Amino acid sequence: MEKIREKYAIVGVGESNRSKNSGVTPLELALEAARVAIADAGLEAKDIDGFMSYSEMDSCSPHQVATYLGVRPKVVKEMFGGGSSTELLIAEAIGLIETGQVNTVLIYRSMNGRSGVRMGGGGFSIDALQNGFDGGSFIIPYGAGSPGQWFGLFATRHMHLNGLTQEHLGHVCTSFYEHAQRNPKAFFYGKPLTMEEYMKTAHLSSPFTKHDYCLESDEANAIIVTSTERAKDCKSVPVKILGMAAREVVSHAHYWKNIDEVAADYVAPQLYKAAGVSPEDIKVASIYDCFSWVVLRQLEAYGLAPKGEVGDFVSAGNLRMDGKLPTNTAGGMLSEGYTHGMNNVLEIVRQVRREYEGTDRQVEDTELAICTGWTGPDVAGAMILCK
């Protein structure tokens, strides 16, 4: 990846309306987000010749989106995937552009994640999970049937080994809820969270309270990737991709010899080598936050907080706007909305562009930014961005 350093950029970002009940199809949401991203880049739909998306049986196809935008694309790609799929598709888009297959790619995630297929509830049958999820037959019949229960097991062990407490999880939640108060589009805008309130909240699945879970929302997000050369013709400020580690897969969690490892432990060294920087150089972050603990584990994996000291790191307020590493500054998936992490990508692009200049939402130093993806302990990806 060193060979493509700063050769490619994100030139457009956009989102649809965010709600709990959209009343429209994922296709309509995707088209709304795509049109906003295209306008943000100063392009026309016909300038997009690659369309990509990921879903978990809950969306619309890239071919549909291209068709309704009036485009005959050169490449369409749809994949089954979750939290680290944005980074993977950006890497694939770069590969296609690098080899001359396409010029500009639109990547989107569209879902009725509250009113339609819900990640933690309706829309999936037990049989589908048990038979379609690798290793599902070993855990689902015994009551571990949702991501909160699966990740809670990993969180409990990691917290025990590293002296982490419920309050440390709470610092992640209260920091991100605080960010949401500056974002009128966030679900929890106007709903701040105090540590006292957090600590009084009952567990849904230990060690997670309702505040430790990501939201469910109906929405679509879209991003546009092209070369930095073509980006000169766009109206937006291009955000360059300094380095990527698109995806690392560790053998399935249930068969690991060392269940304390996560895929991000392997992604991190590849990422910093590709970008030619170190963790100390990172100034602002979007960290995948399907659960609060996942943030703690990634801060550790990417060297953003010393191993064994991540609890102290967040307790000191370092995720807040005036901290060492302002993180998930739109509120993240814990308090803004949920599109399998793509909303975090939109926010980090806007921070690096300095779109919030002159307001209390703009991070002071955005020279280098990290954005991470996490499908689970076994799959991860990340990228480092610059202006």
Side-chain angles (χ1 to χ4, degrees):
M1 292 298 288
E2 298 99 311
K3 295 180 181 179
I4 59 93
R5 193 178 294 169
E6 295 191 62
K7 284 181 63 178
Y8 298 94
I10 297 171
V11 295
V13 294
E15 68 264 91
S16 70
N17 182 53
R18 176 179 292 126
S19 72
K20 293 291 188 182
N21 188 353
S22 70
V24 300
T25 65
L27 175 59
E28 291 175 83
L29 294 173
L31 290 169
E32 183 182 350
R35 289 176 177 132
V36 174
I38 291 167
D40 179 57
L43 298 172
E44 297 181 30
K46 64 181 178 62
D47 298 318
I48 311 295
D49 52 4
F51 289 80
M52 297 182 173
S53 180
Y54 59 96
S55 72
E56 296 197 351
M57 302 180 293
D58 58 0
S59 193
C60 56
S61 75
H63 197 197
Q64 286 178 297
V65 172
T67 298
Y68 277 82
L69 289 173
V71 177
R72 184 188 294 275
K74 294 179 180 177
V75 173
V76 293
K77 179 180 176 67
E78 182 178 15
M79 62 171 284
F80 182 90
S84 60
S85 300
T86 300
E87 289 77 16
L88 177 61
L89 289 182
I90 290 174
E92 292 206 16
I94 289 172
L96 289 168
I97 300 169
E98 179 79 5
T99 56
Q101 307 300 306
V102 294
N103 294 320
T104 304
V105 179
L106 185 142
I107 302 167
Y108 68 90
R109 176 69 171 107
S110 183
M111 58 198 294
N112 279 322
R114 175 67 181 187
S115 67
V117 177
R118 299 172 61 186
M119 293 305 298
F124 291 112
S125 70
I126 291 298
D127 284 344
L129 282 171
Q130 189 168 313
N131 298 318
F133 171 66
D134 188 15
S137 60
F138 291 99
I139 57 174
I140 291 171
Y142 302 97
S146 75
Q149 294 164 323
W150 306 331
F151 287 12
L153 296 171
F154 287 98
T156 299
R157 177 174 173 83
H158 180 257
M159 291 170 71
H160 170 72
L161 293 177
N162 292 277
L164 296 173
T165 66
Q166 191 75 47
E167 190 168 332
H168 292 138
L169 298 181
H171 281 291
V172 175
C173 298
T174 55
S175 296
F176 294 176
Y177 274 60
E178 181 181 293
H179 294 322
Q181 306 319 301
R182 304 182 187 92
N183 178 11
K185 292 183 178 180
F187 269 137
F188 287 159
Y189 177 69
K191 298 178 181 179
L193 177 67
T194 65
M195 183 61 76
E196 181 181 11
E197 180 185 353
Y198 172 84
M199 293 299 290
K200 288 180 178 178
T201 306
H203 287 147
L204 291 179
S205 181
S206 182
F208 301 140
T209 72
K210 66 180 182 180
H211 304 297
D212 299 286
Y213 279 70
C214 62
L215 295 163
E216 295 177 312
S217 56
D218 292 7
E219 64 176 297
N221 299 157
I223 62 176
I224 297 173
V225 178
T226 193
S227 66
T228 51
E229 188 61 33
R230 290 190 183 88
K232 294 174 183 178
D233 296 326
C234 295
K235 76 172 187 180
S236 61
V237 176
V239 173
K240 298 173 185 175
I241 299 166
L242 189 61
M244 294 191 75
R247 177 171 278 196
E248 179 72 30
V249 180
V250 178
S251 58
H252 198 276
H254 305 105
Y255 311 125
W256 286 341
K257 292 181 180 179
N258 181 1
I259 60 171
D260 301 318
E261 289 184 339
V262 296
D265 294 327
Y266 294 90
V267 168
Q270 298 176 44
L271 175 68
Y272 292 122
K273 180 181 178 182
V277 301
S278 67
E280 293 74 25
D281 298 318
I282 304 299
K283 305 302 181 184
V284 61
S286 279
I287 304 294
Y288 196 86
D289 57 329
C290 51
F291 298 94
S292 56
W293 168 78
V294 171
V295 176
L296 297 178
R297 186 62 182 86
Q298 289 176 95
L299 288 170
E300 183 180 276
Y302 289 100
L304 301 169
K307 185 172 175 60
E309 299 177 27
V310 67
D312 293 338
F313 183 83
V314 297
S315 297
N318 285 315
L319 305 184
R320 300 179 187 272
M321 291 297 287
D322 58 353
K324 291 182 179 178
L325 188 71
T327 298
N328 294 11
T329 51
M333 296 189 296
L334 295 184
S335 56
E336 184 196 26
Y338 177 76
T339 48
H340 270 126
M342 195 177 284
N343 55 310
N344 285 349
V345 179
L346 269 59
E347 174 64 10
I348 204 72
V349 167
R350 289 167 175 157
Q351 284 289 352
V352 174
R353 285 180 178 176
R354 304 197 67 78
E355 286 192 12
Y356 309 119
E357 201 76 75
T359 74
D360 60 359
R361 192 170 164 184
Q362 181 62 58
V363 174
E364 183 177 347
D365 188 348
T366 58
E367 183 179 355
L368 284 180
I370 189 171
C371 185
T372 74
W374 165 293
T375 298
D378 53 334
V379 185
M383 57 184 174
I384 292 175
L385 306 174
C386 65
K387 192 170 176 179

